[in-house]
Short mmCIF file of all heavy atoms in Angstrom, two decimals:
data_model
loop_
_atom_site.label_atom_id
_atom_site.label_comp_id
_atom_site.label_asym_id
_atom_site.label_seq_id
_atom_site.Cartn_x
_atom_site.Cartn_y
_atom_site.Cartn_z
N ASP X 1392 -14.59 -28.16 3.90
CA ASP X 1392 -14.72 -26.70 3.89
C ASP X 1392 -13.43 -26.00 3.48
O ASP X 1392 -13.38 -24.78 3.40
CB ASP X 1392 -15.21 -26.17 5.24
CG ASP X 1392 -14.25 -26.50 6.38
OD1 ASP X 1392 -13.07 -26.79 6.10
OD2 ASP X 1392 -14.67 -26.44 7.54
N GLY X 1393 -12.38 -26.78 3.22
CA GLY X 1393 -11.13 -26.16 2.80
C GLY X 1393 -10.51 -25.28 3.86
O GLY X 1393 -9.74 -24.37 3.56
N GLY X 1394 -10.83 -25.53 5.14
CA GLY X 1394 -10.27 -24.73 6.22
C GLY X 1394 -10.97 -23.41 6.44
O GLY X 1394 -10.45 -22.55 7.15
N ILE X 1395 -12.13 -23.22 5.84
CA ILE X 1395 -12.90 -21.98 6.00
C ILE X 1395 -14.30 -22.33 6.50
O ILE X 1395 -15.00 -23.13 5.90
CB ILE X 1395 -13.02 -21.22 4.66
CG1 ILE X 1395 -11.64 -20.86 4.10
CG2 ILE X 1395 -13.85 -19.95 4.84
CD1 ILE X 1395 -11.68 -20.26 2.71
N ASP X 1396 -14.71 -21.72 7.61
CA ASP X 1396 -16.07 -21.92 8.10
C ASP X 1396 -16.98 -20.76 7.72
O ASP X 1396 -18.19 -20.91 7.59
CB ASP X 1396 -16.07 -22.12 9.62
CG ASP X 1396 -15.42 -23.43 10.02
OD1 ASP X 1396 -15.57 -24.42 9.27
OD2 ASP X 1396 -14.75 -23.47 11.06
N ALA X 1397 -16.39 -19.58 7.58
CA ALA X 1397 -17.17 -18.41 7.14
C ALA X 1397 -16.25 -17.41 6.46
O ALA X 1397 -15.06 -17.34 6.78
CB ALA X 1397 -17.87 -17.75 8.34
N LYS X 1398 -16.81 -16.66 5.53
CA LYS X 1398 -16.11 -15.57 4.88
C LYS X 1398 -16.79 -14.27 5.28
O LYS X 1398 -18.02 -14.21 5.33
CB LYS X 1398 -16.13 -15.71 3.36
CG LYS X 1398 -15.39 -16.94 2.83
CD LYS X 1398 -15.51 -17.02 1.31
CE LYS X 1398 -14.79 -18.25 0.77
NZ LYS X 1398 -14.92 -18.35 -0.72
N LEU X 1399 -16.00 -13.25 5.55
CA LEU X 1399 -16.54 -11.96 5.96
C LEU X 1399 -16.28 -10.92 4.87
O LEU X 1399 -15.17 -10.84 4.33
CB LEU X 1399 -15.90 -11.51 7.28
CG LEU X 1399 -16.01 -12.47 8.46
CD1 LEU X 1399 -15.35 -11.86 9.70
CD2 LEU X 1399 -17.46 -12.83 8.75
N PHE X 1400 -17.31 -10.13 4.58
CA PHE X 1400 -17.23 -9.12 3.52
C PHE X 1400 -17.65 -7.77 4.09
O PHE X 1400 -18.48 -7.69 4.99
CB PHE X 1400 -18.16 -9.47 2.36
CG PHE X 1400 -17.90 -10.81 1.73
CD1 PHE X 1400 -18.43 -11.97 2.29
CD2 PHE X 1400 -17.15 -10.91 0.58
CE1 PHE X 1400 -18.20 -13.20 1.72
CE2 PHE X 1400 -16.91 -12.14 -0.02
CZ PHE X 1400 -17.44 -13.29 0.56
N GLN X 1401 -17.09 -6.70 3.51
CA GLN X 1401 -17.47 -5.35 3.92
C GLN X 1401 -18.27 -4.71 2.80
O GLN X 1401 -17.85 -4.75 1.63
CB GLN X 1401 -16.22 -4.52 4.21
CG GLN X 1401 -16.35 -3.62 5.39
CD GLN X 1401 -15.00 -3.33 6.04
OE1 GLN X 1401 -13.96 -3.53 5.42
NE2 GLN X 1401 -15.02 -2.86 7.27
N GLY X 1402 -19.43 -4.17 3.15
CA GLY X 1402 -20.26 -3.51 2.14
C GLY X 1402 -20.66 -4.45 1.02
O GLY X 1402 -21.03 -5.59 1.25
N ASP X 1403 -20.55 -3.97 -0.21
CA ASP X 1403 -20.93 -4.77 -1.38
C ASP X 1403 -19.74 -5.47 -2.02
O ASP X 1403 -19.85 -6.02 -3.12
CB ASP X 1403 -21.60 -3.88 -2.43
CG ASP X 1403 -22.92 -3.30 -1.92
OD1 ASP X 1403 -23.59 -4.01 -1.15
OD2 ASP X 1403 -23.25 -2.16 -2.28
N SER X 1404 -18.60 -5.43 -1.36
CA SER X 1404 -17.40 -6.03 -1.92
C SER X 1404 -17.58 -7.52 -2.19
O SER X 1404 -18.21 -8.24 -1.41
CB SER X 1404 -16.22 -5.83 -0.97
OG SER X 1404 -15.08 -6.54 -1.43
N LEU X 1405 -17.03 -7.98 -3.30
CA LEU X 1405 -17.08 -9.41 -3.63
C LEU X 1405 -15.88 -10.15 -3.07
O LEU X 1405 -15.85 -11.38 -3.09
CB LEU X 1405 -17.14 -9.58 -5.16
CG LEU X 1405 -18.35 -8.98 -5.87
CD1 LEU X 1405 -18.25 -9.18 -7.38
CD2 LEU X 1405 -19.65 -9.58 -5.33
N GLU X 1406 -14.88 -9.40 -2.59
CA GLU X 1406 -13.68 -10.02 -2.04
C GLU X 1406 -13.75 -10.01 -0.52
O GLU X 1406 -13.96 -8.97 0.10
CB GLU X 1406 -12.43 -9.25 -2.50
CG GLU X 1406 -12.22 -9.24 -4.00
CD GLU X 1406 -12.01 -10.64 -4.55
OE1 GLU X 1406 -11.37 -11.46 -3.86
OE2 GLU X 1406 -12.50 -10.91 -5.67
N PRO X 1407 -13.58 -11.18 0.11
CA PRO X 1407 -13.66 -11.22 1.57
C PRO X 1407 -12.53 -10.46 2.24
O PRO X 1407 -11.39 -10.45 1.73
CB PRO X 1407 -13.58 -12.72 1.89
CG PRO X 1407 -12.99 -13.35 0.68
CD PRO X 1407 -13.36 -12.50 -0.48
N VAL X 1408 -12.84 -9.80 3.35
CA VAL X 1408 -11.82 -9.10 4.11
C VAL X 1408 -11.19 -10.01 5.15
O VAL X 1408 -10.10 -9.74 5.66
CB VAL X 1408 -12.40 -7.85 4.82
CG1 VAL X 1408 -12.83 -6.82 3.78
CG2 VAL X 1408 -13.55 -8.21 5.74
N ALA X 1409 -11.88 -11.11 5.46
CA ALA X 1409 -11.35 -12.06 6.45
C ALA X 1409 -12.04 -13.40 6.28
O ALA X 1409 -13.13 -13.50 5.71
CB ALA X 1409 -11.57 -11.53 7.87
N ILE X 1410 -11.37 -14.44 6.77
CA ILE X 1410 -11.99 -15.76 6.85
C ILE X 1410 -12.00 -16.20 8.31
O ILE X 1410 -11.16 -15.78 9.10
CB ILE X 1410 -11.26 -16.80 5.98
CG1 ILE X 1410 -9.78 -16.87 6.32
CG2 ILE X 1410 -11.49 -16.52 4.51
CD1 ILE X 1410 -9.04 -17.98 5.58
N VAL X 1411 -12.98 -17.01 8.64
CA VAL X 1411 -13.17 -17.45 10.02
C VAL X 1411 -13.11 -18.97 10.07
O VAL X 1411 -13.70 -19.66 9.25
CB VAL X 1411 -14.53 -16.98 10.57
CG1 VAL X 1411 -14.69 -17.39 12.03
CG2 VAL X 1411 -14.69 -15.47 10.41
N GLN X 1412 -12.37 -19.47 11.05
CA GLN X 1412 -12.35 -20.90 11.36
C GLN X 1412 -12.81 -21.07 12.79
O GLN X 1412 -12.46 -20.26 13.66
CB GLN X 1412 -10.94 -21.47 11.17
CG GLN X 1412 -10.79 -22.96 11.49
CD GLN X 1412 -11.51 -23.86 10.49
OE1 GLN X 1412 -12.73 -23.89 10.45
NE2 GLN X 1412 -10.76 -24.59 9.70
N CYS X 1413 -13.63 -22.09 13.06
CA CYS X 1413 -14.21 -22.29 14.39
C CYS X 1413 -13.88 -23.69 14.90
O CYS X 1413 -13.89 -24.66 14.13
CB CYS X 1413 -15.73 -22.13 14.36
SG CYS X 1413 -16.31 -20.55 13.71
N LYS X 1414 -13.63 -23.80 16.20
CA LYS X 1414 -13.46 -25.09 16.83
C LYS X 1414 -14.20 -25.11 18.16
O LYS X 1414 -13.89 -24.34 19.06
CB LYS X 1414 -11.97 -25.40 17.10
CG LYS X 1414 -11.14 -25.66 15.85
CD LYS X 1414 -11.53 -26.96 15.17
CE LYS X 1414 -10.64 -27.24 13.97
NZ LYS X 1414 -11.16 -28.34 13.13
N ALA X 1415 -15.19 -25.98 18.27
CA ALA X 1415 -15.91 -26.16 19.53
C ALA X 1415 -15.22 -27.26 20.32
O ALA X 1415 -15.76 -28.33 20.55
CB ALA X 1415 -17.38 -26.51 19.27
N TRP X 1416 -13.98 -26.98 20.69
CA TRP X 1416 -13.18 -27.93 21.47
C TRP X 1416 -13.17 -27.49 22.92
O TRP X 1416 -12.66 -26.42 23.24
CB TRP X 1416 -11.75 -27.98 20.96
CG TRP X 1416 -11.58 -28.67 19.64
CD1 TRP X 1416 -12.55 -29.28 18.90
CD2 TRP X 1416 -10.36 -28.82 18.90
NE1 TRP X 1416 -12.00 -29.80 17.75
CE2 TRP X 1416 -10.66 -29.54 17.73
CE3 TRP X 1416 -9.04 -28.40 19.13
CZ2 TRP X 1416 -9.69 -29.85 16.78
CZ3 TRP X 1416 -8.08 -28.72 18.19
CH2 TRP X 1416 -8.40 -29.45 17.03
N ASN X 1417 -13.71 -28.32 23.79
CA ASN X 1417 -13.75 -27.99 25.21
C ASN X 1417 -12.76 -28.82 26.03
O ASN X 1417 -12.30 -28.39 27.08
CB ASN X 1417 -15.16 -28.19 25.76
CG ASN X 1417 -16.18 -27.32 25.04
OD1 ASN X 1417 -15.85 -26.22 24.60
ND2 ASN X 1417 -17.40 -27.80 24.91
N SER X 1418 -12.46 -30.02 25.54
CA SER X 1418 -11.63 -30.93 26.33
C SER X 1418 -10.14 -30.73 26.07
O SER X 1418 -9.31 -31.28 26.76
CB SER X 1418 -12.02 -32.39 26.05
OG SER X 1418 -11.90 -32.69 24.68
N ARG X 1419 -9.80 -29.94 25.04
CA ARG X 1419 -8.39 -29.66 24.78
C ARG X 1419 -8.26 -28.29 24.12
O ARG X 1419 -9.20 -27.79 23.50
CB ARG X 1419 -7.77 -30.73 23.89
CG ARG X 1419 -8.29 -30.77 22.47
CD ARG X 1419 -7.67 -31.98 21.75
NE ARG X 1419 -7.86 -31.95 20.31
CZ ARG X 1419 -8.92 -32.44 19.69
NH1 ARG X 1419 -9.92 -32.96 20.40
NH2 ARG X 1419 -9.01 -32.42 18.38
N SER X 1420 -7.09 -27.69 24.28
CA SER X 1420 -6.84 -26.38 23.69
C SER X 1420 -6.53 -26.53 22.21
O SER X 1420 -6.07 -27.57 21.75
CB SER X 1420 -5.66 -25.70 24.40
OG SER X 1420 -5.96 -25.47 25.76
N VAL X 1421 -6.78 -25.45 21.47
CA VAL X 1421 -6.43 -25.42 20.05
C VAL X 1421 -4.95 -25.12 19.93
O VAL X 1421 -4.46 -24.10 20.44
CB VAL X 1421 -7.26 -24.35 19.30
CG1 VAL X 1421 -6.84 -24.30 17.83
CG2 VAL X 1421 -8.74 -24.63 19.42
N GLY X 1422 -4.21 -26.01 19.29
CA GLY X 1422 -2.77 -25.85 19.16
C GLY X 1422 -2.37 -25.07 17.94
O GLY X 1422 -3.20 -24.55 17.18
N VAL X 1423 -1.07 -25.02 17.70
CA VAL X 1423 -0.54 -24.20 16.61
C VAL X 1423 -0.87 -24.79 15.24
O VAL X 1423 -0.98 -24.05 14.25
CB VAL X 1423 0.98 -23.99 16.78
CG1 VAL X 1423 1.75 -25.28 16.51
CG2 VAL X 1423 1.48 -22.86 15.88
N LYS X 1424 -1.04 -26.12 15.13
CA LYS X 1424 -1.22 -26.74 13.82
C LYS X 1424 -2.45 -26.18 13.09
O LYS X 1424 -2.33 -25.74 11.94
CB LYS X 1424 -1.31 -28.25 13.97
CG LYS X 1424 -1.45 -29.00 12.63
CD LYS X 1424 -1.39 -30.51 12.85
CE LYS X 1424 -1.48 -31.26 11.52
NZ LYS X 1424 -2.84 -31.22 10.96
N PRO X 1425 -3.67 -26.19 13.68
CA PRO X 1425 -4.82 -25.63 12.96
C PRO X 1425 -4.70 -24.13 12.70
O PRO X 1425 -5.22 -23.62 11.70
CB PRO X 1425 -6.02 -25.96 13.86
CG PRO X 1425 -5.46 -26.30 15.18
CD PRO X 1425 -4.09 -26.82 14.96
N VAL X 1426 -3.98 -23.42 13.57
CA VAL X 1426 -3.78 -21.98 13.36
C VAL X 1426 -2.86 -21.77 12.16
O VAL X 1426 -3.09 -20.90 11.32
CB VAL X 1426 -3.21 -21.31 14.63
CG1 VAL X 1426 -2.95 -19.82 14.39
CG2 VAL X 1426 -4.19 -21.49 15.80
N ARG X 1427 -1.82 -22.57 12.07
CA ARG X 1427 -0.90 -22.50 10.93
C ARG X 1427 -1.62 -22.86 9.64
O ARG X 1427 -1.39 -22.24 8.59
CB ARG X 1427 0.29 -23.44 11.17
CG ARG X 1427 1.40 -23.27 10.14
CD ARG X 1427 2.54 -24.24 10.39
NE ARG X 1427 3.31 -23.89 11.57
CZ ARG X 1427 3.44 -24.69 12.63
NH1 ARG X 1427 2.84 -25.86 12.68
NH2 ARG X 1427 4.18 -24.31 13.66
N GLU X 1428 -2.53 -23.83 9.72
CA GLU X 1428 -3.30 -24.22 8.54
C GLU X 1428 -4.19 -23.09 8.07
O GLU X 1428 -4.37 -22.87 6.86
CB GLU X 1428 -4.12 -25.48 8.85
CG GLU X 1428 -3.27 -26.74 8.97
CD GLU X 1428 -4.05 -27.92 9.52
OE1 GLU X 1428 -5.22 -27.73 9.96
OE2 GLU X 1428 -3.50 -29.04 9.52
N LEU X 1429 -4.76 -22.35 9.02
CA LEU X 1429 -5.60 -21.20 8.64
C LEU X 1429 -4.76 -20.15 7.90
O LEU X 1429 -5.22 -19.56 6.92
CB LEU X 1429 -6.25 -20.58 9.88
CG LEU X 1429 -7.13 -19.35 9.63
CD1 LEU X 1429 -8.29 -19.68 8.71
CD2 LEU X 1429 -7.67 -18.79 10.96
N LEU X 1430 -3.53 -19.92 8.35
CA LEU X 1430 -2.65 -18.98 7.66
C LEU X 1430 -2.40 -19.45 6.23
O LEU X 1430 -2.37 -18.65 5.29
CB LEU X 1430 -1.33 -18.84 8.42
CG LEU X 1430 -0.32 -17.88 7.78
CD1 LEU X 1430 -0.85 -16.45 7.79
CD2 LEU X 1430 1.03 -17.96 8.51
N GLY X 1431 -2.23 -20.76 6.04
CA GLY X 1431 -2.03 -21.31 4.71
C GLY X 1431 -3.22 -21.06 3.81
O GLY X 1431 -3.06 -20.73 2.62
N VAL X 1432 -4.42 -21.17 4.36
CA VAL X 1432 -5.64 -20.90 3.59
C VAL X 1432 -5.72 -19.41 3.23
O VAL X 1432 -6.08 -19.05 2.11
CB VAL X 1432 -6.89 -21.34 4.37
CG1 VAL X 1432 -8.16 -20.96 3.62
CG2 VAL X 1432 -6.86 -22.84 4.65
N MET X 1433 -5.36 -18.55 4.18
CA MET X 1433 -5.33 -17.11 3.92
C MET X 1433 -4.41 -16.80 2.75
O MET X 1433 -4.76 -16.04 1.84
CB MET X 1433 -4.87 -16.35 5.17
CG MET X 1433 -5.83 -16.34 6.32
SD MET X 1433 -5.01 -15.85 7.88
CE MET X 1433 -4.28 -14.26 7.43
N ALA X 1434 -3.23 -17.40 2.77
CA ALA X 1434 -2.25 -17.15 1.70
C ALA X 1434 -2.75 -17.68 0.37
O ALA X 1434 -2.63 -17.01 -0.67
CB ALA X 1434 -0.91 -17.79 2.07
N HIS X 1435 -3.34 -18.88 0.39
CA HIS X 1435 -3.82 -19.50 -0.84
C HIS X 1435 -4.91 -18.66 -1.51
O HIS X 1435 -4.93 -18.50 -2.74
CB HIS X 1435 -4.34 -20.90 -0.55
CG HIS X 1435 -4.91 -21.61 -1.74
ND1 HIS X 1435 -4.12 -22.09 -2.76
CD2 HIS X 1435 -6.19 -21.87 -2.11
CE1 HIS X 1435 -4.88 -22.64 -3.69
NE2 HIS X 1435 -6.15 -22.52 -3.31
N HIS X 1436 -5.81 -18.13 -0.69
CA HIS X 1436 -6.94 -17.35 -1.24
C HIS X 1436 -6.65 -15.84 -1.27
O HIS X 1436 -7.53 -15.07 -1.64
CB HIS X 1436 -8.20 -17.62 -0.41
CG HIS X 1436 -8.74 -19.01 -0.55
ND1 HIS X 1436 -9.52 -19.40 -1.60
CD2 HIS X 1436 -8.59 -20.10 0.24
CE1 HIS X 1436 -9.85 -20.68 -1.47
NE2 HIS X 1436 -9.29 -21.13 -0.35
N LYS X 1437 -5.44 -15.48 -0.84
CA LYS X 1437 -5.03 -14.05 -0.81
C LYS X 1437 -6.00 -13.21 0.00
O LYS X 1437 -6.46 -12.13 -0.42
CB LYS X 1437 -4.89 -13.50 -2.24
CG LYS X 1437 -3.81 -14.20 -3.07
CD LYS X 1437 -3.70 -13.60 -4.46
CE LYS X 1437 -2.51 -14.15 -5.22
NZ LYS X 1437 -2.54 -15.63 -5.37
N ILE X 1438 -6.34 -13.72 1.18
CA ILE X 1438 -7.24 -13.02 2.10
C ILE X 1438 -6.39 -12.44 3.23
O ILE X 1438 -5.60 -13.16 3.85
CB ILE X 1438 -8.32 -13.97 2.65
CG1 ILE X 1438 -9.21 -14.43 1.48
CG2 ILE X 1438 -9.17 -13.28 3.72
CD1 ILE X 1438 -10.21 -15.50 1.85
N PRO X 1439 -6.53 -11.14 3.51
CA PRO X 1439 -5.58 -10.47 4.40
C PRO X 1439 -5.68 -10.82 5.88
O PRO X 1439 -4.71 -10.65 6.61
CB PRO X 1439 -5.88 -8.98 4.19
CG PRO X 1439 -7.30 -8.94 3.71
CD PRO X 1439 -7.48 -10.19 2.91
#
């Protein structure tokens, strides 16, 4: 998925306003590594 689980759009815009990443982790907390990776995906796709 390239680090993207969903893209969010406003109105009829073709450019996403946000990207969403999801983790159904119950036995451990989500650490900084996947959060940092999401920022990298935001930068790569120029999503704010």
Side-chain angles (χ1 to χ4, degrees):
D1392 61 19
I1395 301 173
D1396 292 325
K1398 295 178 181 179
L1399 304 181
F1400 302 83
Q1401 220 153 18
D1403 296 326
S1404 173
L1405 299 178
E1406 298 298 324
V1408 294
I1410 54 174
V1411 183
Q1412 179 69 291
C1413 304
K1414 290 292 183 192
W1416 287 358
N1417 300 328
S1418 58
R1419 67 185 193 273
S1420 297
V1421 178
V1423 71
K1424 182 174 182 287
V1426 178
R1427 189 181 289 119
E1428 288 170 352
L1429 179 60
L1430 180 65
V1432 176
M1433 290 163 55
H1435 178 72
H1436 292 279
K1437 298 181 172 58
I1438 296 173

